[in-house]
Amino acid sequence: MWKLLIADDEPRIRRGLKNSLNWEELDIEVVGEAEDGEMAFLMAKELQPDIMFVDINMPFLNGLQLIQKLN
């Protein structure tokens, strides 16, 4: 099963992404949700997701900086 982490500072967007598809049917598990880039970075290090949905405009660490830092 693939692991998915959703990172967006807007709760409505995170909820929409999480509920938009039947992830289990796609063999994907939503392992976490982060509300800012720093939280997403820490969660990504711990959870080791295979897929990340990342907002570009987030507080503390934007999505592009997050991707750079993870690489």
Side-chain angles (χ1 to χ4, degrees):
M1 182 169 274
W2 298 92
K3 295 187 290 186
L4 168 66
L5 174 63
I6 299 171
D8 196 299
D9 58 325
E10 295 184 42
R12 191 179 85 198
I13 301 295
R14 289 194 313 271
R15 196 170 36 254
L17 287 169
K18 186 176 179 180
N19 297 324
S20 64
L21 294 171
N22 182 348
W23 295 108
E24 288 182 13
E25 187 176 280
L26 299 169
D27 201 32
I28 297 173
E29 175 186 7
V30 179
V31 292
E33 298 177 39
E35 61 188 40
D36 63 58
E38 284 294 329
M39 182 184 289
F41 178 72
L42 295 173
M43 290 178 78
K45 284 178 55 178
E46 178 185 331
L47 300 170
Q48 297 290 303
D50 302 295
I51 306 165
M52 290 181 69
F53 288 167
V54 179
D55 184 14
I56 295 205
N57 289 319
M58 290 187 292
F60 308 117
L61 189 65
N62 72 41
L64 298 176
Q65 293 167 325
L66 171 61
I67 292 167
Q68 267 186 326
K69 198 170 177 180
L70 286 170
N71 278 334

